[in-house]
Every structure is written in structure tokens, then in C-alpha cells.
Amino acid sequence: MASYQDWSVGISAAESTYGAGTTVARHFEFTDPKPFETDMGIKQGDGIRVGSRVALSARRVTTTRQASGDIAMQLFSKGLGLLYKACMGAGTSTLVSTGLYQQVFTLADDLPSHNIQFGIPQAGGTIDATTYKGCVMSSFEIGGAVGEIATLKTSWDAQTWDTSTSYVAPSYPTGGSLLTISDATIYS
């Protein structure tokens, strides 16, 4: 039975076509369980009609269907390559030795789009999925004070969302550790 602590968030590999549905490939341990805010751009027409005292519901239209929001997490030494690539736009992964990869990420002119799925626990013990499609990172921030755990906050803009996509049960990398800030120098 699901409990309130069973929130999950996952991301797909880069979409081959913007806004296309792709399956969630990686889940993250995030610190702020809150789905993105949605905007349906509902507009009410202003036409006046004889005998009408209120605005007609037939004159209400949806002009857009988009969403945006943040995902915050503590940085972990494994399983974040897909997210770093979404932040920077391009990346390569090279096998150095068994189970050890070197990943190098570079800024790209065009950022990839992804699907992001939130697993939302319900009072009845089930988990509902909300999937945001065409998600492009609008900004990211790596932070943390000296002697603290490093954090990553990503901000996303989504083209659309649905609740009909099947929930993908989370799986997480094994091993690894939290990254801490002991001393930092950033080069760009």
C-alpha cells in the first residue's frame, strides 16, 4: 500500500520528436514532492447577447496547455548523467574500467526535451501518474555551503501533460554516495 512518502519523479531519455511520449528511464531522489503547475490558458469570450445575464460557458475556450516547475535534489555520485545532459545539452560517457564511467558534459545550442513523470500517492493506497511531455530545462542551479551536501535545483517548461500514461515504478542506482562541498572552484 502506498504512503505519502512514496512520491517519485522520473525522466525519459531525450525525445526524438519534441512532445512525443517516451518511457521514463531514470528516477531521482528528490526533496520537494510537488508536481509542476499547469496552465490551461482558459479564456472567456466577451460577446453580449440579448437576454443573457452571465457569460456563456460555450464561449469559454482553452488557448494553451502547458506546465512548469522545479525539481530539487541532493547530488548523488551515481545515476545523474541523464539529468546533467539535460542541464548542459550534450554529453559523452566513456567506460574507464568495469562499472566506472567518465562523463563529460558541454553546453549545446539546443537543449533536449524529455518526459518527466511524477508518481503521486493517493489516500486509497494507489499511485497516480502525471506525465509532462516536451520538458525542456529553463535553468539549473548547483549549490551548497562548505561542509554541506551539494544540491541541484532544475526548472522545467513542459509543452503538455497527461494522466493516461502508465505509471513507471521507480528504480534507483545501487552504491554511490552523496556529494559534499568541502572546497569548490567552478570554471566555465
Side-chain angles (χ1 to χ4, degrees):
M1 179 171 208
S3 72
Y4 182 73
Q5 289 85 3
D6 290 333
W7 281 84
S8 65
V9 65
I11 186 172
S12 71
E15 296 173 320
S16 56
T17 303
Y18 177 67
T22 54
T23 303
V24 170
R26 174 76 60 208
H27 285 84
F28 307 109
E29 298 175 19
F30 65 118
T31 58
D32 187 16
K34 181 176 67 172
F36 295 164
E37 292 185 24
T38 58
D39 177 10
M40 292 189 49
I42 296 174
K43 303 294 180 196
Q44 178 66 47
D46 292 331
I48 297 175
R49 177 186 279 201
V50 173
S52 248
R53 302 289 183 258
V54 296
L56 299 173
S57 63
R59 302 291 188 265
R60 186 172 296 127
V61 295
T62 301
T63 59
T64 60
R65 185 176 167 90
Q66 59 192 20
S68 62
D70 300 332
I71 300 173
M73 67 189 69
Q74 295 175 324
L75 289 179
F76 199 68
S77 63
K78 293 182 80 175
L80 294 180
L82 184 59
L83 192 57
Y84 292 143
K85 189 172 181 179
C87 291
M88 303 294 285
T92 58
S93 183
T94 307
L95 179 63
V96 176
S97 64
T98 304
L100 179 64
Y101 290 86
Q102 176 185 12
Q103 296 182 318
V104 178
F105 302 96
T106 55
L107 291 173
D109 291 335
D110 297 315
L111 294 176
S113 62
H114 299 268
N115 287 345
I116 294 177
Q117 184 180 77
F118 283 86
I120 305 163
Q122 302 300 308
T126 61
I127 297 179
D128 290 347
T130 300
T131 304
Y132 301 90
K133 298 177 181 179
C135 296
V136 177
M137 188 167 305
S138 58
S139 68
F140 70 95
E141 177 183 319
I142 296 174
V146 172
E148 297 292 330
I149 297 170
T151 60
L152 173 65
K153 178 183 172 189
T154 57
S155 297
W156 298 85
D157 291 322
Q159 177 193 36
T160 189
W161 73 93
D162 72 52
T163 56
S164 63
T165 303
S166 297
Y167 174 64
V168 176
S171 63
Y172 302 97
T174 58
S177 60
L178 288 169
L179 300 178
T180 59
I181 309 286
S182 58
D183 187 15
T185 305
I186 297 178
Y187 299 97
S188 63

